[in-house]
Amino acid sequence: MHSLTDIQSLAFMAIGPARIAALSLLVLANKEDSDDAHTARQLSVDRITAAHEMLGTKLPAMLKACNHTFPSKLEEKRLACFEALTPLVESLRDSSKAQGSAFSDHCLYRLEPLVSSFLIEMTEDLMENHKRLEERRQEDMLKAITNAEVVGKNIQLIAFNASIEAARIGDMGKGFTVIASEIRDLSGKTQMMLDNIADLLRAS
């Protein structure tokens, strides 16, 4: 499963280049066929297709896997970007659709601002939620460490009481006194490590 930062990176890399790819199609529509033009057109095709798939199916699936949903306005922008890319995808099947000022206006004045706005707001949304998840994870870790510290202190107390009982028994309890002392030392070292981890988490 991808993290929210992974999703942000994957979506940005897939969707962002579609803007340049769309403009490339406009330029290439008026160029004579050549190996370079064919290569450039194929690259534009791949980028637009990847962006269309990301907006249509891949991004929603990744968000669902992370139990994250976009705010309603951001979701509307995702759908608008998907719909704005659809004519470009259709033009890949019929190059004649890439001709004319209407197609040019669509790329320049509809697709470009829609995609740019969506990418900015998507990044803000995913980064903010990632930050909240990290803060919550840190709080949970600190709680777990606090609970472990309590257990460690109880072990120290038990070991201390055990050593007292062993001393009361006399020679028969000497072996147990050594064991109780080792347990107390180990518990103390564990306590120190937990304190260090807690300090690092609080400082981060």
Side-chain angles (χ1 to χ4, degrees), residues 129-141:
N129 278 277
H130 175 74
K131 182 180 178 181
R132 282 197 290 269
L133 287 174
E134 284 297 304
E135 289 174 348
R136 192 180 309 158
R137 183 183 66 86
Q138 183 171 321
E139 290 175 0
D140 291 341
M141 289 180 66

Side-chain angles (χ1 to χ4, degrees), residues 2-11 66 126-127 130-131:
H2 297 293
S3 68
L4 291 181
T5 51
D6 291 337
I7 293 174
Q8 185 272 331
S9 297
L10 290 169
C66 285
L126 294 178
M127 292 298 97
H130 175 74
K131 182 180 178 181

Side-chain angles (χ1 to χ4, degrees), residues 14 18 43-54 85 89 92:
L43 181 59
S44 296
V45 168
D46 293 342
R47 286 174 171 172
I48 291 170
T49 302
H52 196 252
E53 290 177 353
M54 177 61 73
L85 271 173
V89 175
L92 304 180

Side-chain angles (χ1 to χ4, degrees), residues 28 32-43:
L28 292 169
E32 294 182 1
D33 286 339
S34 66
D35 290 342
D36 289 342
H38 178 76
T39 300
R41 187 177 190 281
Q42 186 58 51
L43 181 59

Side-chain angles (χ1 to χ4, degrees), residues 41-186:
R41 187 177 190 281
Q42 186 58 51
L43 181 59
S44 296
V45 168
D46 293 342
R47 286 174 171 172
I48 291 170
T49 302
H52 196 252
E53 290 177 353
M54 177 61 73
L55 285 163
T57 57
K58 291 184 178 180
L59 181 56
M62 288 190 293
L63 292 172
K64 184 178 180 181
C66 285
N67 295 318
H68 180 72
T69 55
F70 283 152
S72 58
K73 289 185 178 180
L74 184 56
E75 177 62 14
E76 289 173 4
K77 287 192 174 184
R78 180 190 69 81
L79 292 172
C81 288
F82 176 74
E83 292 169 359
L85 271 173
T86 299
L88 274 70
V89 175
E90 293 175 350
S91 76
L92 304 180
R93 304 188 186 99
D94 182 0
S95 60
S96 65
K97 292 184 179 180
Q99 306 290 334
S101 60
F103 189 86
S104 176
D105 289 346
H106 177 81
C107 291
L108 290 172
Y109 304 119
R110 177 164 173 76
L111 179 65
E112 170 62 26
L114 272 176
V115 171
S116 296
S117 176
F118 171 73
L119 289 176
I120 291 171
E121 292 187 26
M122 177 196 70
T123 299
E124 291 175 350
D125 175 74
L126 294 178
M127 292 298 97
E128 287 175 4
N129 278 277
H130 175 74
K131 182 180 178 181
R132 282 197 290 269
L133 287 174
E134 284 297 304
E135 289 174 348
R136 192 180 309 158
R137 183 183 66 86
Q138 183 171 321
E139 290 175 0
D140 291 341
M141 289 180 66
L142 286 171
K143 288 179 182 178
I145 289 172
T146 300
N147 292 335
E149 287 174 341
V150 172
V151 173
K153 289 176 181 178
N154 287 336
I155 291 174
Q156 282 186 310
L157 182 60
I158 292 171
F160 179 72
N161 290 335
S163 63
I164 292 175
E165 288 299 314
R168 188 176 64 82
I169 295 173
D171 290 341
M172 294 179 62
K174 285 183 178 179
F176 193 72
T177 300
V178 174
I179 295 173
S181 177
E182 291 293 330
I183 292 174
R184 190 165 61 250
D185 290 343
L186 181 61

